[in-house]
Structure formats: C-alpha cells, structure tokens
C-alpha cells in the first residue's frame, strides 16, 4: 500500500462473512488506508453510527444522487439501495490515500468497469454452518431476514471468479494479515487454492 500510487481496493463478501470487522482492522493498522462511507436507504441499526458506518438517506435523496451521477457505483441489496460517493473517493485518492470500498459484488463489477486497475478481493466464510452461526450471532436481523441473507450467500459465493483473490475468514487476525500482505504485493496468479475451492463447492451442495 504505497502512498505514492494510491489505489481503490474493493472488498466484497456474502452477508455475515465478517468483512466490516476486517475492514476496520485493516484501517486501524494502516495509516494510508481509508474506507469509503457508503450511502444507503436502509434503516440504521442500533449499533451503527451515522457518517461512520453509513450515510443513511431517504430514497428520494438517493434517487437524486443517482440522477446527478454522484455515485461511483450503486446497487439494490435486500430491497435497499447502497452507493459509493464518487467525490469522496476521488478526494482521498488525490490526497495519496488508498481507498477501501466495502461493497457487494454487483457494485464491485461496476467499479471494476470504471476503474480497471482496482484491486478486487473476495472473502468467504470457512463453511455454511459457520456463516449461519455468524448471521445469528449478529442479533440485528429477524429469522426471516437471516434466512434471506443465507440463501443469497449461496448465490454470492459464485461470484468469486470475478475477483483477483479469495480469502477465507476463519480467523480475523490472520485474515487481516493475509489481506494486508496481498495489498502490498498483489499476486493475482495465485488467486485460488484447493481449500478455497472445497468451501465454494460445499455451498453448491
């Protein structure tokens, strides 16, 4: 992560994989790395902070921002809209900072189209059972919402092939270290290994 060549780092993962925790740890340990704060139309959760976790806005405001082309990317996820503000990202890059975009795979594909030199990282859970456990432990969703998120994860996992590198989030500390090392010295040729493919195949069965 060189301050001399700031870049966009896209991090995507199925809901409940732990990407938010990973991004927070990456930022905590790297001074020239910042996270873009997305805009969303969904309701704020009790543990979230306005302007830090998300910018929570009305559907009307979000729609006007789309019309004004204010987003680098935007997507509808679980009946709510999410978008990455273009100006804030460009300002950070111009200030020599690497910018993490913590977004879903739909948005990731839009960013890749606009910024072909971005680094695309995908995170998966160690198993289906662990994913369901993490979704339940969050305590922020109803049983129906948990089921929807779990079912959607089965589709999200199949998007791995569109990313430069896939990481298994078995342990946050080791995952953060592996991602930080990859960002410093990307080796896209070694994107997959047998452990990753075994987990991906298990989600299809």
């Amino acid at each position: 992560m060189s301050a001399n060549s700031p870049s966009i780092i896209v991090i995507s993962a199925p809901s409940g994989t732990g990407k938010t925790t990973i991004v927070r740890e990456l930022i905590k340990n790297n001074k020239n790395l910042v996270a873009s704060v997305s805009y969303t139309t969904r309701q704020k959760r009790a543990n979230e902070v306005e302007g830090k976790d998300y910018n929570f806005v009305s559907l009307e405001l979000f729609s006007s921002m789309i019309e004004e082309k204010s987003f680098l990317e935007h997507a509808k996820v679980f009946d709510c809209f999410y978008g990455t503000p273009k100006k804030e990202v460009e300002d950070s890059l111009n200030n020599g900072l690497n910018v993490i975009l913590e977004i879903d795979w739909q948005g990731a594909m839009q960013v890749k189209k606009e910024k072909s030199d971005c680094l695309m990282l995908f995170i998966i859970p160690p198993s289906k059972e662990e994913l369901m456990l993490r979704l339940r432990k969050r305590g922020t969703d109803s049983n129906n919402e948990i089921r929807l998120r779990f079912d959607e994860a089965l589709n999200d996992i199949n998007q791995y092939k569109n990313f430069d590198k896939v990481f298994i989030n078995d342990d946050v500390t080791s995952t953060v270290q592996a991602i930080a090392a990859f960002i410093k010295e990307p080796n896209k040729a070694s994107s997959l290994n047998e452990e990753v493919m075994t987990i991906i195949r298990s989600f299809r069965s």
Side-chain angles (χ1 to χ4, degrees):
M1 291 177 288
S2 171
N4 295 322
S5 55
S7 60
I8 292 176
I9 301 149
V10 175
I11 295 184
S12 295
S15 181
T17 302
K19 64 181 179 298
T20 299
T21 301
I22 288 170
V23 169
R24 285 175 180 166
E25 289 299 311
L26 282 167
I27 292 170
K28 186 191 302 182
N29 298 322
N30 296 278
K31 293 181 179 179
N32 70 324
L33 184 61
V34 296
S36 169
V37 180
S38 296
Y39 283 71
T40 183
T41 60
R42 78 158 170 77
Q43 293 295 309
K44 183 168 74 71
R45 293 170 180 157
N47 63 334
E48 291 178 323
V49 178
E50 168 71 35
K52 181 178 179 182
D53 295 295
Y54 288 97
N55 292 302
F56 298 93
V57 298
S58 66
L59 179 58
E60 290 74 21
L61 177 55
F62 196 97
S63 297
S64 70
M65 292 179 73
I66 292 176
E67 291 179 4
E68 294 166 3
K69 301 187 185 304
S70 299
F71 294 121
L72 180 60
E73 62 79 28
H74 66 276
K76 188 177 184 181
V77 184
F78 300 115
D79 294 325
C80 297
F81 288 92
Y82 295 81
T84 299
K86 186 183 297 182
K87 183 180 184 302
E88 285 88 332
V89 171
E90 293 296 340
D91 286 348
S92 293
L93 292 172
N94 290 335
N95 287 327
L97 297 170
N98 297 288
V99 184
I100 286 185
L101 306 186
E102 181 194 333
I103 55 180
D104 83 304
W105 68 267
Q106 299 175 71
M109 294 303 100
Q110 294 177 46
V111 174
K112 187 175 184 178
K113 186 176 181 180
E114 291 291 323
K115 307 284 187 179
S116 59
D117 59 343
C118 69
L119 198 57
M120 301 276 288
L121 311 183
F122 196 68
I123 304 171
I124 62 174
S127 68
K128 288 193 291 187
E129 294 76 18
E130 179 62 22
L131 178 62
M132 178 59 81
L133 180 63
R134 292 178 185 179
L135 285 169
R136 293 192 181 283
K137 281 178 66 177
R138 290 200 308 189
T140 57
D141 302 310
S142 66
N143 287 335
N144 185 53
E145 288 172 327
I146 289 171
R147 188 71 242 178
L148 286 173
R149 290 180 183 278
F150 183 79
D151 290 344
E152 187 61 29
L154 304 184
N155 175 59
D156 291 349
I157 287 287
N158 290 324
Q159 306 303 321
Y160 74 92
K161 55 186 173 293
N162 294 311
F163 290 77
D164 298 319
K165 181 71 174 179
V166 180
F167 297 87
I168 304 167
N169 185 23
D170 197 359
D171 170 74
V172 171
T173 300
S174 59
T175 303
V176 168
Q177 291 173 346
I179 291 175
F182 184 79
I183 291 173
K184 289 178 181 177
E185 294 186 30
N187 179 11
K188 299 180 181 181
S190 60
S191 174
L192 301 170
N193 58 42
E194 186 54 37
E195 184 181 9
V196 167
M197 291 310 302
T198 296
I199 292 172
I200 289 171
R201 285 192 291 266
S202 75
F203 271 80
R204 298 171 178 166
S205 59

